[in-house]
Amino acid sequence: MERAPGDGGALTEKILDAAREQFMTFGLRRSTVDDVAKRAGVSRVTVYRRVGNKDELVQRVLLREYRQFVAEVDAAVAGLPTMEERMVEGFAAVLRLIRGHPLIGGLMRLEPETMLPYLTVESGPSFLAMRGYLAGHLRRARRVTGEEGGEQESGDPVAVAELMVRITVSFLLNPVSCFELDDDEKARAFARRYLTPLLNR
Amino acid sequence: MERAPGDGGALTEKILDAAREQFMTFGLRRSTVDDVAKRAGVSRVTVYRRVGNKDELVQRVLLREYRQFVAEVDAAVAGLPTMEERMVEGFAAVLRLIRGHPLIGGLMRLEPETMLPYLTVESGPSFLAMRGYLAGHLRRARRVTGEEGGEQESGDPVAVAELMVRITVSFLLNPVSCFELDDDEKARAFARRYLTPLLNR
């Protein structure tokens, strides 16, 4: 969606802030466009014009969260010299951010039945986005270090990225685990042992 | 639950058969104990006495399916000489069985919102059962080949089993994938390349 010039972007952000707050507190199911409008101090019509219906509100809020999430992970790994180290640190950062994330955590507690489809059978677009993000990192790392080689030898970046996303998402979906990942150091140890070897698959 | 002697087990099986049929056709949410009783040609009271309430009916049906599933996977890998080969064939068999499974497939289509918690946040018991099953296989294989060694060197069977269960379940939960796993040969190729290396992690 295009942003209107001037104050337009700020108004849209204000509506999305209100929607985020509303969803976090009352969940998705019981929230209406009206609730969001009231919270933002604007009219229903303004919400529809600037963002859209409830479904579009949800999508836009989640997309904004996703982008911020990615920016934070990028910041956590920036400056680390090798892909191995970035992967280890990135995995720890992702787990830390998901756990501390008020919207994801709150919604998973409030109404798992609404959240789960977004994270599983209907996760297509966000799943592809995460895979694409990580595959991009892997490709850039390979170009920089110059270890291109045969795909068969050095691993298909998309395949490796997909496996890593699958394993990471799985810890969110199935929390019962023999792996203790509850602090950064343990998360790093897991990534070092089980994820970095995939880089050469 | 104990089986009564004589005809008792057969009656329970008949009730579970009826429940399975009912759930497959109408889903879990809209099915009642009455529906199951009618379908089995017994009284409501008999269903309550032999199996229990609706929740217990669901649990018992799923447990029975799970056991049959495991028996089929066991049969598919029995006789294969190495753990690598059993793992490759086991993975292919699991995907094939899940895809062709009328109850799992039917319920995922009919009411994903009811099924997803069982497969994710509330999957604890069945997740542990699957992990235990696979870890048992891994331990037995290690004893037979005598390659015990340090845990650090030859891999912790529970950890390896958990990762494999996570990856496999993930293909059920997040069907969008760059891996083509739609026939046995492709599933085997995936397992050979990405799963068997875990055996030495």
Side-chain angles (χ1 to χ4, degrees):
Chain A
M1 181 171 287
E2 295 293 318
R3 275 193 185 172
D7 180 55
L11 180 56
T12 302
E13 291 303 304
K14 190 176 160 193
I15 294 170
L16 294 179
D17 287 343
R20 180 181 190 274
E21 197 69 28
Q22 173 67 30
F23 297 152
M24 248 163 58
T25 318
F26 295 98
L28 300 176
R29 209 176 1 168
R30 289 191 300 160
S31 297
T32 65
V33 172
D34 247 347
D35 294 330
V36 173
K38 273 194 202 112
R39 204 175 267 270
V42 302
S43 72
R44 252 171 77 89
V45 175
T46 303
V47 174
Y48 278 112
R49 276 207 197 120
R50 307 291 315 194
V51 183
N53 62 18
K54 181 179 159 184
D55 226 47
E56 287 161 308
L57 269 172
V58 172
Q59 296 294 342
R60 284 288 294 277
V61 168
L62 292 181
L63 181 64
R64 200 178 61 161
E65 295 294 301
Y66 170 73
R67 285 187 179 145
Q68 199 176 327
F69 193 90
V70 164
E72 290 183 46
V73 175
D74 272 339
V77 304
L80 293 173
T82 67
M83 189 62 218
E84 274 76 10
E85 284 169 83
R86 289 196 292 280
M87 169 149 297
V88 166
E89 203 51 46
F91 180 72
V94 165
L95 289 193
R96 186 175 61 233
L97 288 168
I98 289 177
R99 285 211 191 89
H101 198 288
L103 186 63
I104 297 179
L107 285 178
M108 280 291 270
R109 262 189 306 281
L110 273 175
E111 39 184 273
E113 69 287 2
T114 318
M115 277 305 278
L116 286 172
Y118 281 109
L119 294 167
T120 56
V121 286
E122 280 156 39
S123 68
S126 50
F127 189 79
L128 293 179
M130 289 185 284
R131 188 180 78 187
Y133 161 75
L134 188 51
H137 264 287
L138 295 170
R139 266 194 220 97
R140 277 191 298 279
R142 195 175 291 176
R143 269 203 301 274
V144 170
T145 56
E147 31 165 334
E148 185 63 61
E151 285 280 285
Q152 200 65 20
E153 282 306 279
S154 62
D156 170 4
V158 176
V160 171
E162 181 172 320
L163 276 174
M164 296 195 174
V165 172
R166 286 188 178 280
I167 292 170
T168 309
V169 169
S170 156
F171 282 109
L172 178 61
L173 294 174
N174 303 86
V176 173
S177 178
C178 68
F179 300 110
E180 294 178 34
L181 301 174
D182 37 293
D183 66 44
D184 282 5
E185 209 32 73
K186 286 171 181 161
R188 288 187 193 106
F190 174 86
R192 250 178 237 120
R193 182 160 181 186
Y194 296 105
L195 297 184
T196 59
L198 283 171
L199 288 171
N200 302 315
R201 276 289 106 203
Chain B
M1 181 170 290
E2 297 292 318
R3 276 192 183 172
D7 181 56
L11 180 56
T12 301
E13 291 303 303
K14 191 177 160 191
I15 293 170
L16 295 179
D17 287 343
R20 179 180 191 275
E21 197 69 30
Q22 173 67 30
F23 297 152
M24 249 163 58
T25 318
F26 294 99
L28 299 178
R29 208 175 1 169
R30 289 192 299 159
S31 296
T32 64
V33 172
D34 247 346
D35 294 331
V36 173
K38 272 193 203 112
R39 205 175 266 270
V42 301
S43 72
R44 251 172 77 90
V45 174
T46 303
V47 174
Y48 279 112
R49 277 208 196 121
R50 306 292 314 194
V51 184
N53 63 19
K54 181 179 159 184
D55 226 47
E56 287 162 307
L57 269 172
V58 172
Q59 296 294 342
R60 284 288 294 277
V61 168
L62 293 180
L63 181 64
R64 199 179 62 160
E65 294 295 302
Y66 170 73
R67 285 188 180 146
Q68 200 176 327
F69 193 90
V70 164
E72 290 184 48
V73 175
D74 272 339
V77 305
L80 293 173
T82 68
M83 190 62 219
E84 274 76 10
E85 284 168 82
R86 289 196 291 280
M87 169 149 295
V88 165
E89 203 51 46
F91 180 72
V94 165
L95 289 193
R96 186 175 63 232
L97 288 169
I98 289 176
R99 285 211 191 89
H101 198 288
L103 187 63
I104 297 179
L107 285 177
M108 280 291 273
R109 264 189 306 279
L110 274 175
E111 39 184 272
E113 70 288 1
T114 319
M115 277 305 279
L116 285 172
Y118 282 108
L119 294 167
T120 56
V121 286
E122 281 156 38
S123 68
S126 51
F127 189 78
L128 293 179
M130 289 185 283
R131 189 180 78 187
Y133 160 74
L134 188 52
H137 264 287
L138 295 170
R139 267 195 220 97
R140 276 190 300 279
R142 194 175 291 176
R143 268 203 301 275
V144 170
T145 56
E147 31 165 335
E148 185 62 60
E151 285 281 283
Q152 198 64 22
E153 283 306 279
S154 62
D156 170 3
V158 176
V160 172
E162 181 171 320
L163 276 174
M164 296 196 174
V165 171
R166 287 188 177 280
I167 292 170
T168 310
V169 170
S170 155
F171 282 108
L172 178 62
L173 293 174
N174 303 85
V176 172
S177 178
C178 68
F179 300 109
E180 296 178 35
L181 301 175
D182 37 292
D183 65 43
D184 283 4
E185 209 31 74
K186 286 170 181 159
R188 288 188 192 107
F190 174 87
R192 249 179 238 119
R193 182 159 180 185
Y194 296 104
L195 297 184
T196 60
L198 283 171
L199 287 172
N200 302 316
R201 276 288 106 206

